[in-house]
Amino acid sequence: MRINMKHVWIVFKKELKDAFRDRKALLVGIVLPMLFIPVIFIISTVAAKSAYEVKLQKTPIAVLGKENSKMLTQMIQKSEFQMVDSKNPKKDLQDGNIKAVLIIPKDFEKLILQEKQVQVKILTNDADMKFSNVGSMLTEMINNLSKEITKRRLIQKNLDPSIIEPIVIKKENVAPPQKQSATFLSFLLPMFLTLWVAVGGMNAAIDITAGEKERGTLEPLLTTAATRTSLVTGKYLAVSFMALLAGFSSLVGVIVSFIALPNVLGSALKNGPILDYKVSPLTILIMLIVVILTAIIFAAIEVAIAAYARSFKEGQTYLSPISIIVVIPPYLTMYKMPNELTSTYFVLPLVNAISILKELIYDIINLQHLALFVVSSLVYIAISISFASKMFENEKVLFRS
């Protein structure tokens, strides 16, 4: 059917005016995406720091049999663990009052002097995630004491202590801070960007289709000189615009998170997962293209589905699963490093956007993958627009009661 661009422009302006009158929709679609990502980054950074930073001086442990080993007790006293008394150590451990229990056997000193093996027991509560590594810290401390005792014994026998340690392992983390930050961001960022793009145009899509049906303004609109193709194109462009605004807002949130937050909250984000992360202007530009193509696809799908609904409420019911479906693809790529993403990931709907964003976060610009994403997205855009047009031209769908 013929498209009249003048009619498309009139419909587009009319729908945008209606969309901007809804202040609640603007708050959800534009303001919240801009604030949401920085807030989430601050919360996740603080949460991650509190989860992994165990302050030993504030970590209470109970030591049973302190009198059985002066050297072990003194070693713990000199450390930053805090030894506390407990009448019921197991219960206190389960209740979280203490973080570990060290049990020193009665014959500890005697067996050490006899150069025999002695066992100590460490009780931990691994259900407490924050302090689940306290047991490992205590184990390492006692292992170091064990090595020191062995070393003394060998020296007393005029033997070289190194004979019991033929291989020395030195571990070194060669991952630059940028890559470590990318691992943290590669799951959250694509999900947030696609989620806001998906929900950004949802209210507008429902209002200009099902909402118009409910208000009884759709029939008069169809009797105007504008063709249905012109009408659906104008409405579709308006929804795309609102989805794009949400995508741009979330992208602004990303830029603020990467550039402004580390400068403003540098000390608060010290050792946080995004402090050393930087993004280039080219990366931002490609992210923008991903957001635009993804927004156009979602806009067409949402217009098509909302056109089937008989009321605004029914439209919300039909479209609400989209916000759940959007968070599934990030899980498909969650445990994949960028070099493990095959070409298939860059042609699957929505997964392709997630995969490209993941590569960009790792500062990888793969032209072949980018081409696969753009071509497959254009195909999905053509299919989704065709689907939306057919739904709008079908009177059984449009006027069903």
Side-chain angles (χ1 to χ4, degrees), residues 72-343:
L72 196 49
T73 305
Q74 287 173 354
M75 184 186 71
I76 293 171
Q77 284 173 335
K78 288 178 183 175
S79 75
E80 292 178 320
F81 281 112
Q82 181 188 0
M83 283 198 294
V84 296
D85 295 326
S86 172
K87 292 181 179 176
N88 192 341
K90 280 192 176 178
K91 187 174 185 307
D92 282 341
L93 184 59
Q94 289 170 348
D95 292 344
N97 299 324
I98 55 176
K99 304 306 174 187
V101 178
L102 174 65
I103 303 174
I104 305 173
K106 284 183 180 179
D107 49 358
F108 183 91
E109 296 283 3
K110 181 183 172 184
L111 291 171
I112 291 292
L113 289 173
Q114 292 175 351
E115 297 187 356
K116 291 183 178 176
Q117 192 178 63
V118 61
Q119 287 187 347
V120 295
K121 188 182 270 187
I122 297 171
L123 307 182
T124 58
N125 178 10
D126 289 348
D128 187 340
M129 290 179 66
K130 186 174 179 180
F131 292 98
S132 60
N133 57 345
V134 171
S136 303
M137 293 177 178
L138 268 175
T139 301
E140 186 180 353
M141 188 182 291
I142 294 169
N143 280 337
N144 288 336
L145 176 65
S146 177
K147 286 178 184 176
E148 184 62 30
I149 292 170
T150 305
K151 187 178 173 183
R152 286 180 203 164
R153 287 176 180 173
L154 291 171
I155 291 172
Q156 286 171 359
K157 296 178 187 299
N158 294 321
L159 293 172
D160 184 357
S162 64
I163 63 171
I164 61 165
E165 200 175 14
I167 300 174
V168 177
I169 300 172
K170 285 188 177 179
K171 289 177 70 178
E172 185 179 347
N173 182 10
V174 297
Q178 171 90 356
K179 296 286 183 187
Q180 295 183 60
S181 302
T183 303
F184 171 78
L185 294 171
S186 62
F187 175 67
L188 293 178
L189 193 56
M191 183 171 69
F192 289 148
L193 278 177
T194 50
L195 181 63
W196 283 115
V197 167
V199 301
M202 206 174 278
N203 266 340
I206 299 170
D207 187 61
I208 65 177
T209 51
E212 289 224 41
K213 281 187 193 179
E214 197 172 18
R215 293 191 295 271
T217 55
L218 185 61
E219 289 88 343
L221 192 62
L222 293 172
T223 59
T224 61
T227 62
R228 291 196 181 186
T229 306
S230 300
L231 288 175
V232 74
T233 304
K235 287 175 178 290
Y236 165 69
L237 289 176
V239 176
S240 298
F241 187 82
M242 296 306 293
L244 280 173
L245 273 184
F248 292 159
S249 297
S250 58
L251 208 53
V252 169
V254 171
I255 295 168
V256 168
S257 300
F258 291 158
I259 297 173
L261 282 185
N263 292 329
V264 176
L265 303 172
S267 58
L269 297 178
K270 189 178 180 183
N271 298 325
I274 65 167
L275 185 61
D276 298 309
Y277 191 81
K278 305 289 180 192
V279 285
S280 67
L282 181 61
T283 301
I284 295 288
L285 178 65
I286 299 175
M287 281 185 176
L288 194 59
I289 294 170
V290 175
V291 166
I292 290 171
L293 293 177
T294 309
I296 293 171
I297 294 172
F298 275 115
I301 293 171
E302 287 167 1
V303 168
I305 295 173
Y308 185 75
R310 285 170 291 200
S311 64
F312 195 94
K313 194 174 180 180
E314 192 177 319
Q316 284 180 315
T317 305
Y318 291 155
L319 291 182
S320 55
I322 288 178
S323 57
I324 299 171
I325 293 169
V326 168
V327 299
I328 295 174
Y331 285 96
L332 294 176
T333 61
M334 184 177 180
Y335 297 107
K336 297 280 185 185
M337 293 300 287
N339 60 349
E340 296 176 302
L341 296 173
T342 61
S343 298

